[in-house]
Each structure stands twice: as C-alpha cells, then as structure tokens.
Amino acid sequence: MSFEKRLSSALDEGEIVGLVSDLVRIPSHKACKDRERKVAEFIFRFFGENGIDAELIPIIDERPNVIARIRGTGGGLTLMLNGHTDTVPPYGMDDPYSGAVREGRVYGRGSCDMKAGLAAMMCALVALKRADISLSGDVVFTGVIDEEFKSEGTEAVIQSNLSADYAIVGEPTELSVALGHRGLEWIDIVFEGRAAHSGNPEKGINAISKAAAFIRAVEEQLLPRLENRTHPVVGKSTLNFGTIHGGDQPSSVAGHCVLQLDRRYTPNESLAQVFKDFEDIIQDCHALDPSFKASVVRNMDNMATMDHLPVFLEEDHPLVAALVEAHERVHGKPAALSIKSGWTDASLLQNYGRIPTLNYGPGSLARAHTELEYVEIDHLKPAALVYALTAVKLCGPAAERDKKGR
C-alpha cells in the first residue's frame, strides 16, 4: 500500500473536525486570564493520548509552547510544523467560541486563524504514527504563543536548541503554497507643537496641522516611489496610516500628535531605508516650515527582539518542490503558488533560525479576524495529508522511498 493510502486511512475527517471545534471552544486571546495556556495543555494531552512525545515549555507568565516530536531512525532531515495557539479577541462576534459545524464549515474565533492549521498538523503527526511509517529524520510540531503580537513563542523556539532543516507554518493560505511575504514595521511619527488657548491660536503651534502636512508630503512624495519598489515574489511595498491621536480638547491648540503607520516592505528594501524615507520627509517639511518638529519612533508593540523582515523562497527550492508534489498527489492537480499579504512567523524561522520556511494551511485569510470567522471542512483532512506526505518526502528513509517508487 502506498504512503498516501496508508496515511489517508489513518486520518479521519470527523476526528479533525471535532479537534478544530474543541480548540475553538477554548479562548486563547490577550483578554483571557491564562492566554494560550489552556489550549497548549489541551494539545499536550492530545499528543499524550496518541502516544506521541510532547512537552510544555513555559515562555512568559506560565504561557507555554507545546513541542511534540516523532523521532526518526537517524541520519535524515528534520521537518518542523509550526502554528500559533493564540488568536485575536472576538470583538463583535456573536457566540465566538461555539465551534459550530454547519454548511460544511467550522465556525468561531480562531477556526481559520489558525486552530484549523494546528489541528491538521497535530493529526498529521498522529497519522504518521498510526500508519507505522518509519522515517529517518524527525518531524517536530511547535505550537507557539503570541504570534498575533510579538511572536515571543517562535522567538523562544529559535533561541532554544531545537533545530530543523525545513519548516511549514500552517497559516491560512486556501491550501496554496505561499512562497513568502513582505516585512512589517509599525512606526510612530511624533509631532511636537506648542499648546495655547484656541482663542489665541497664533500663540501656539498646532501639532495636528503639522501631522496633516506630513501626510500630504508622504502621499505626494513617498507613495509614488513605493509603487516602483516591487519584488518578483512578494509584490509591492505598501504604507497605511493606521491611527492618529493629538491634542487635549477642542478649545486648545494641539501641542502634541502621534501618527501610527503600518509599513510593509520588500526584500528589495532595507529596514534602514524604511526609516530614512520618513526622516527625509521630516527634513523636507522642516526646511519649508522651521516650526515643523517631528521624530520617527519604532513602535515596539509589534516585536520582541527580532525584526519582522521579509521572507521568500524561490520556486525551485526543495521545500517548495516537496510541498507542491504532496499537494498534487492529494488533489490531483498542481498547487497554486501565492504570497501572504500578512506577516507570519515564517520570517523569524527563516531569517533568524536559518530554516527554509513556507506557509501552507487550511482556510482563507479573508475570513481571519472577521466577525464571521470559519474554516471549510473540505480543507482539513487534505491539509493534514499534505503535511504528512511532505514529511515522508523530506524525512523518509531513502531506501523505503526507492522501493515504493517514491
């Protein structure tokens, strides 16, 4: 019997669906008392009940990563399957933790981003064990905390002794192979004015007005340049004005203002260039208006210690080839190649862990973080099977692969 048939027989769609529902029913966002801890403990128990070695590793305030491993016979490559256990808050969702199953979908906060990916990866390890497929290399599962904020879970994995030759992050990609994504930087532009009574506005310097001048300059000077900063894999640079806060009350001239920006940048740009672009505009504004004072401040809410850099792999990379082949064996057609519009922990694994990494997972990013979040059931078992087949391809004993024509 082929690896594909053995693994497919070891995977039960109903079990995976139930696992996604169970994970959704456990809140794991920043407003929860224990954040990701209860989800991590659930995953840990699941592996233990299925005879797979696992451990809980506290990272911050007893919030643990879950590390599970199927050990190979030795001498082979190691594949890491990585997924985050936290979600964003439910915001305006109705019944966010129902885990309801209807109309071919599983509903609830985290169903798409990314408890479906976690469930598929967990079941991939279980299928390898149940199918009794011997690998020469290890398959490692890393369920990590805090990806929605500072990615301290994956930073901890990288800073530990855990290593791998390849990694797949299970973020929602609609089962396309995401070759990479842009870097992400949150930046505060802090404007200095001088407060005064609004009855005598000429005695003050309005920081909000200075922010408006800066925004106009960015739109007229920088945005056209960003249109030309494209990369053949990850696309073009973008900039978004996210929030603005200034002044104290309507009857006072605003003595301060902070503009917060989201800047997505390509491998063609350096992080230093991202900051210099804004500093140059501040200098130009000051040259035109000596009362213009502003500074560029890195917003540290976006990261712990590692920069959120761009990441990509070329189409001919061995990891891409293995994942595309596994997808085609499961679906009978080539996998679509894509990029992620959002930032992921793949950046840290590849740029700092030196582990070539791709994103591939069930669900659509368009449903993530929304008030009607769901994942399609027909994505779940195929995703688990693709993960397991990719592990066989990359980690399996060469002699066994040759014997079976793999």
Side-chain angles (χ1 to χ4, degrees):
M1 185 183 294
S2 70
F3 289 135
E4 182 179 347
K5 290 182 179 178
R6 291 163 64 185
L7 288 165
S8 183
S9 296
L11 287 166
D12 179 79
E13 183 180 87
E15 180 182 24
I16 305 175
V17 170
L19 188 55
V20 176
S21 291
D22 288 342
L23 290 168
V24 168
R25 292 186 187 109
I26 307 172
S28 55
H29 55 82
K30 66 178 182 179
C32 301
K33 178 183 177 182
D34 299 311
R35 298 282 284 266
E36 309 93 338
R37 184 174 62 82
K38 291 181 181 178
V39 165
E41 290 173 346
F42 176 92
I43 295 170
F44 173 77
R45 289 194 300 270
F46 174 85
F47 282 126
E49 291 165 358
N50 284 278
I52 294 174
D53 292 338
E55 57 183 326
L56 290 171
I57 302 176
I59 305 300
I60 302 169
D61 299 328
E62 301 303 314
R63 295 160 55 199
N65 283 349
V66 191
I67 311 297
R69 185 187 300 264
I70 292 183
R71 298 188 181 276
T73 57
L77 302 177
T78 295
L79 174 66
M80 179 188 297
L81 301 178
N82 171 279
H84 62 86
T85 54
D86 63 324
T87 72
V88 297
Y91 302 120
M93 294 183 74
D94 294 328
D95 200 9
Y97 312 119
S98 69
V101 179
R102 62 178 184 272
E103 300 172 345
R105 301 165 177 171
V106 183
Y107 287 83
R109 175 57 84 225
S111 55
C112 170
D113 184 14
M114 60 163 290
K115 290 177 177 179
L118 287 172
M121 289 179 163
M122 293 157 64
C123 288
L125 265 68
V126 170
L128 288 165
K129 183 174 181 62
R130 288 176 181 169
D132 195 25
I133 295 176
S134 178
L135 304 175
S136 59
D138 293 359
V139 182
V140 181
F141 169 93
T142 54
V144 297
I145 68 167
D146 202 54
E147 189 274 345
E148 297 289 358
F149 292 94
K150 295 186 177 183
S151 290
E152 290 174 295
T154 291
E155 281 206 11
V157 168
I158 293 167
Q159 292 163 350
S160 72
N161 294 323
L162 198 159
S163 63
D165 297 284
Y166 302 107
I168 300 171
V169 176
E171 293 276 7
T173 67
E174 298 185 75
L175 302 182
S176 68
V177 176
L179 299 176
H181 56 70
R182 293 163 295 188
L184 169 62
E185 194 68 31
W186 287 355
I187 297 171
D188 293 353
I189 310 297
V190 181
F191 301 91
E192 299 178 33
R194 184 170 65 240
H197 193 283
S198 61
N200 301 289
E202 71 280 358
K203 294 184 178 181
I205 298 175
N206 197 308
I208 294 175
S209 294
K210 305 309 179 188
F214 175 85
I215 291 171
R216 286 194 298 270
V218 168
E219 291 176 337
E220 293 170 1
Q221 300 174 33
L222 181 55
L223 291 185
R225 295 203 301 270
L226 295 187
E227 286 291 328
N228 296 321
R229 294 184 190 173
T230 61
H231 184 272
V233 175
V234 305
K236 68 177 183 178
S237 293
T238 62
L239 183 155
N240 179 61
F241 302 115
T243 71
I244 187 166
H245 304 277
D248 298 309
Q249 60 170 334
S251 59
S252 295
V253 173
H256 60 89
C257 184
V258 178
L259 174 65
Q260 295 187 312
L261 307 169
D262 178 300
R263 180 72 167 82
R264 310 277 168 152
Y265 63 102
T266 74
N268 295 335
E269 305 168 275
S270 68
L271 186 57
Q273 182 179 15
V274 168
F275 283 93
K276 186 175 184 299
D277 286 335
F278 297 120
E279 289 163 354
D280 287 347
I281 289 177
I282 288 173
Q283 289 181 7
D284 291 344
C285 289
H286 179 73
L288 293 171
D289 174 10
S291 70
F292 184 100
K293 293 182 180 180
S295 57
V296 181
V297 179
R298 192 174 207 181
N299 187 322
M300 296 305 293
D301 288 342
N302 184 46
M303 58 175 287
T305 67
M306 299 176 182
D307 296 330
H308 287 189
L309 302 170
V311 64
F312 75 99
L313 289 180
E314 300 289 355
E315 290 185 28
D316 60 355
H317 192 278
L319 177 59
V320 178
L323 195 50
V324 166
E325 177 186 325
H327 179 98
E328 186 166 0
R329 287 171 61 183
V330 172
H331 294 272
K333 59 182 179 181
L337 302 180
S338 67
I339 63 166
K340 287 284 289 181
S341 57
W343 187 90
T344 75
D345 278 352
S347 169
L348 302 184
L349 292 169
Q350 183 160 313
N351 288 305
Y352 291 93
R354 306 304 177 196
I355 305 169
T357 306
L358 292 170
N359 272 282
Y360 179 93
S364 168
L365 186 64
R367 303 274 18 120
H369 300 194
T370 67
E371 292 185 3
L372 191 64
E373 184 174 353
Y374 62 78
V375 66
E376 298 84 350
I377 288 174
D378 61 9
H379 283 199
L380 299 178
K381 181 176 176 179
L385 186 53
V386 168
Y387 294 143
L389 285 171
T390 302
V392 172
K393 176 70 175 180
L394 294 173
C395 311
E400 184 173 359
R401 289 201 302 272
D402 291 344
K403 180 180 178 181
K404 295 179 179 296
R406 302 300 175 196

